[in-house]
């Protein structure tokens, strides 16, 4: 599909609608937290207020809010198309990660306050009360086991040094334990007389939240990808090596135009071979799909991407997606500024193909360290020539100190971002490349006063 060129006011209205939808989405998430507090208040709490019951009530409240945040996290990770259209799946996952630690602290507070509160009421020490709860008849022991799994998941996700110990497959398996931990907590939450007593209206509300979160996970992460993969019948036609560690994988299938994929988007690809079937790879489209063909370009950065770079023609391909708002539809300004480094050029190449540009409307900057780091530059150059776009090539290593995103030569020549992009204030800036490098570009752009709404970032760190 090719994006139509919209007048500036049309782009701004569309951008403003997305901003309002983003605000509404956040409001809905916070409304679920408010409803948790309201329903707890309506429950009435304990019949008599003592130091012990005050602690257990506070613990119950912490547990309910923590559970609500966990369900929001599940929903955000479910790849819901509406959420992707509003904020993009990468932003949804960033929100998901942000909620992990607060949810953990609330759930830890839940267990600690309940244990201390009951110990106070029963005249036991905390250790004895903990053992009593674990061995009790009300499924609290199962909840403790759920807490342990959730703790492992959050720690391995939040602490980068620990996460680097795991392969992607091992980390994903550990991460999946969080869903098991949530399910383990249900029995003790819904026992007779509890806040989520099955005989109460509160139970209907919470059961609805569970159904929405896990239903979205089942539908959009399992059912929809299976159905779409079967419907479109993708297979590898050939693998084209474009650099020592980079290949373009050409695919063929049926009715691919019905995916309505836009340049700049990506999908989660699964190649059905013995060595690759267990790992889904988020990879951008490097060309806009036709009705029967698609192409992705992959750099071998680890064992998984190295394996898929060696798939053979005829290999069946499953996929989930397409995802992302790194597209021409996100524009709000009359001019376009694009900067890409390394394999970050892949969505940029597709974005430019999918944009109807007037002569001199776009400025494109490509960064690469050496001859082997100039992926698809010839194709981007051809697109720039066709559309009359200004193309700036910045090969070579970065300037000493690593603070600049430009090449050392560009810095020596006195280049700054305003010189590279003379009309930056009237432009939408699209940035794609390694995270630290991309952050440096955004830092410079923000320093000029460019609003965040005019910056579109694809980090390549899904």
């Amino acid at each position: 599909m090719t994006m139509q060129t919209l007048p500036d006011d049309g782009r701004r209205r569309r951008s403003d609608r997305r901003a309002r939808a983003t605000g509404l989405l956040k409001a809905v998430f916070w409304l679920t937290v408010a409803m948790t507090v309201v329903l707890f208040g309506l429950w009435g709490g304990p019949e008599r207020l003592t130091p012990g019951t005050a602690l257990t009530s506070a613990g119950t409240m912490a547990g309910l809010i923590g559970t609500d945040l966990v369900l929001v996290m599940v929903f955000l990770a479910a790849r819901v198309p509406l959420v992707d259209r509003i904020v993009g799946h990468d932003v949804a996952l960033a929100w998901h990660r942000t909620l992990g630690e607060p949810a953990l602290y609330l759930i830890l507070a839940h267990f600690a306050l309940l244990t201390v509160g009951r110990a106070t009421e029963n005249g036991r020490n905390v250790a004895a009360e903990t053992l009593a709860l674990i061995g009790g008849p009300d499924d609290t022991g199962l909840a403790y086991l759920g807490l342990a799994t959730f703790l492992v998941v959050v720690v391995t996700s939040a602490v980068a040094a620990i996460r680097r110990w795991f392969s992607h497959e091992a980390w994903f398996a550990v991460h999946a334990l969080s869903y098991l931990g949530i399910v383990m907590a249900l029995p003790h939450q819904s026992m007779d007389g509890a806040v989520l007593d099955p005989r109460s209206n509160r139970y209907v509300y919470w059961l609805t939240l569970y159904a929405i979160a896990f239903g979205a996970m089942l539908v959009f992460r399992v059912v929809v990808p299976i159905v779409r993969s079967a419907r479109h019948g993708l297979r590898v036609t050939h693998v084209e090596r474009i650099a020592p560690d980079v290949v373009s994988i050409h695919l063929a299938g049926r009715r691919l135009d019905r995916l309505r994929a836009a340049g700049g988007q990506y999908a989660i690809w699964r190649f059905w071979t013995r060595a690759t079937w267990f790992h889904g790879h988020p990879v951008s489209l490097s060309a806009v799909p036709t009705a029967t063909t698609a192409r992705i370009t992959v750099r071998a950065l680890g064992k998984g991407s190295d394996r898929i770079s060696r798939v053979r023609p005829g290999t069946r391909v499953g996929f989930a997606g397409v995802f992302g708002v790194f597209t021409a539809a996100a524009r709000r300004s009359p001019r376009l500024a694009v900067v890409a480094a390394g394999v970050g050029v892949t969505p940029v190449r597709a974005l430019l193909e999918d944009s109807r540009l007037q002569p001199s409307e776009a400025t494109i900057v490509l960064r690469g360290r050496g001859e082997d780091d100039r992926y698809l530059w010839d194709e981007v150059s051809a697109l720039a020539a066709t559309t009359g776009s200004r193309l700036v090539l910045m090969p070579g290593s970065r300037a000493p100190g690593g603070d600049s995103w430009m090449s050392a030569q560009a810095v020596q020549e006195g280049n700054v971002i305003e010189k590279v992009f003379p009309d930056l204030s009237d432009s939408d800036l699209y940035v794609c490349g390694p995270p630290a490098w991309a952050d440096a570009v955004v830092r410079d752009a923000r320093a000029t006063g460019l609003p965040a709404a005019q910056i579109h970032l694809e980090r390549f760190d899904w």
Side-chain angles (χ1 to χ4, degrees):
M1 85 183 228
T2 301
M3 299 302 305
Q4 298 293 326
T5 301
L6 294 179
D8 297 345
D9 57 345
R11 290 196 188 110
R12 288 186 178 275
R13 284 197 298 270
R14 185 169 57 188
S15 178
D16 290 341
R17 284 197 298 271
R18 272 193 59 218
R20 289 193 295 270
T22 299
L24 180 60
L25 186 64
K26 291 180 179 179
V28 169
F29 292 151
W30 287 114
L31 180 61
T32 63
V33 176
M35 282 295 296
T36 298
V37 176
V38 169
L39 289 175
F40 180 75
L42 293 176
W43 176 50
E47 295 181 359
R48 60 190 181 86
L49 188 62
T50 66
T53 58
L55 287 171
T56 56
S57 294
T60 300
M61 184 76 265
L64 291 173
I65 296 176
T67 300
D68 180 89
L69 293 184
V70 169
L71 294 177
V72 170
M73 290 173 64
V74 172
F75 184 79
L76 288 170
R79 302 173 184 163
V80 178
L82 177 63
V83 175
D84 179 64
R85 285 195 296 271
I86 294 173
V87 299
H89 185 55
D90 56 337
V91 172
L93 287 181
W95 291 358
H96 167 93
R97 289 190 291 267
T98 299
L99 292 175
E101 288 189 55
L104 175 63
Y105 297 149
L106 285 164
I107 292 173
L108 286 173
H110 165 70
F111 278 86
L113 290 168
L114 278 181
T115 303
V116 174
R118 291 192 181 185
T120 301
E121 286 291 294
N122 297 328
R124 297 188 180 118
N125 62 50
V126 173
E129 186 64 34
T130 300
L131 292 174
L133 287 170
I134 292 174
D138 56 0
D139 298 309
T140 306
L142 194 61
Y144 269 97
L145 186 58
L147 171 66
T149 62
F150 193 69
L151 181 62
V152 170
V153 170
V154 173
V155 170
T156 55
S157 300
V159 182
I162 295 178
R163 182 172 174 176
R164 284 195 291 268
W165 294 347
F166 292 88
S167 67
H168 179 89
E169 293 81 5
W171 176 84
F172 182 81
V174 171
H175 201 73
L177 288 174
S178 61
Y179 308 128
L180 180 61
I182 298 166
V183 173
M184 286 178 176
L186 266 175
H188 98 283
Q189 290 176 320
S190 57
M191 63 186 180
D192 288 346
V195 179
L196 307 187
D197 190 324
R199 296 169 298 181
S200 69
N201 292 332
R202 300 182 303 276
Y203 185 72
V204 176
Y205 170 77
W206 278 97
L207 200 62
T208 301
L209 290 187
Y210 272 91
I212 291 173
F214 282 94
M217 183 69 68
L218 175 64
V219 170
F220 296 113
R221 293 197 66 142
V222 180
V223 176
V224 170
I226 290 174
V227 171
R228 282 188 172 177
S229 297
R231 177 188 299 158
H232 295 289
L234 279 175
R235 289 179 181 269
V236 175
T237 56
H238 67 284
V239 178
E240 174 190 7
R241 188 161 297 279
I242 63 174
D245 58 348
V246 179
V247 298
S248 285
I249 301 176
H250 297 258
L251 309 170
R254 303 182 295 268
R255 302 185 296 275
L256 300 181
D257 51 330
R258 296 190 180 183
L259 294 173
R260 300 180 64 83
Q265 292 187 304
Y266 68 96
I268 312 295
W269 308 93
R270 191 175 300 274
F271 294 83
W272 291 102
T273 72
R274 184 178 300 176
T276 60
W277 67 268
F278 49 85
H279 186 176
H281 300 264
V283 182
S284 295
L285 293 160
S286 57
V288 179
T290 68
T292 57
T293 64
R295 186 185 75 175
I296 61 174
T297 300
V298 183
R299 183 182 179 189
L301 295 173
K303 291 182 180 179
S305 52
D306 180 61
R307 292 188 190 112
I308 68 170
S309 69
R310 292 184 275 112
V311 294
R312 296 180 178 179
T315 299
R316 290 182 179 273
V317 183
F319 69 97
V322 292
F323 304 115
V325 293
F326 190 79
T327 68
R331 284 185 62 184
R332 61 183 284 124
S333 305
R335 304 188 68 82
L336 177 64
V338 179
V339 56
V343 79
V345 73
T346 54
V348 163
R349 188 260 177 230
L351 167 71
L352 294 171
E353 180 188 5
D354 206 20
S355 301
R356 288 187 176 179
L357 299 171
Q358 300 300 318
S360 303
E361 180 180 339
T363 297
I364 306 158
V365 176
L366 299 181
R367 276 284 291 121
R369 289 169 296 183
E371 291 293 336
D372 293 336
D373 199 24
R374 304 179 188 183
Y375 323 123
L376 306 179
W377 281 25
D378 55 340
E379 296 186 17
V380 174
S381 297
L383 287 168
T386 300
T387 59
S389 300
R390 175 171 168 259
L391 180 64
V392 179
L393 303 180
M394 284 191 184
S397 59
R398 293 171 68 176
D403 291 335
S404 176
W405 53 273
M406 300 183 196
S407 66
Q409 180 179 347
V411 172
Q412 290 170 1
E413 293 172 353
N415 282 290
V416 292
I417 195 168
E418 298 98 319
K419 185 175 180 180
V420 176
F421 299 108
D423 302 299
L424 185 60
S425 61
D426 292 323
S427 302
D428 276 89
L429 175 65
Y430 285 73
V431 185
C432 189
W437 174 88
D439 287 341
V441 180
V442 173
R443 178 201 64 209
D444 285 2
R446 293 289 286 155
T448 70
L450 190 68
Q454 290 174 227
I455 301 175
H456 313 280
L457 182 62
E458 192 81 313
R459 289 184 178 275
F460 268 33
D461 62 345
W462 300 291

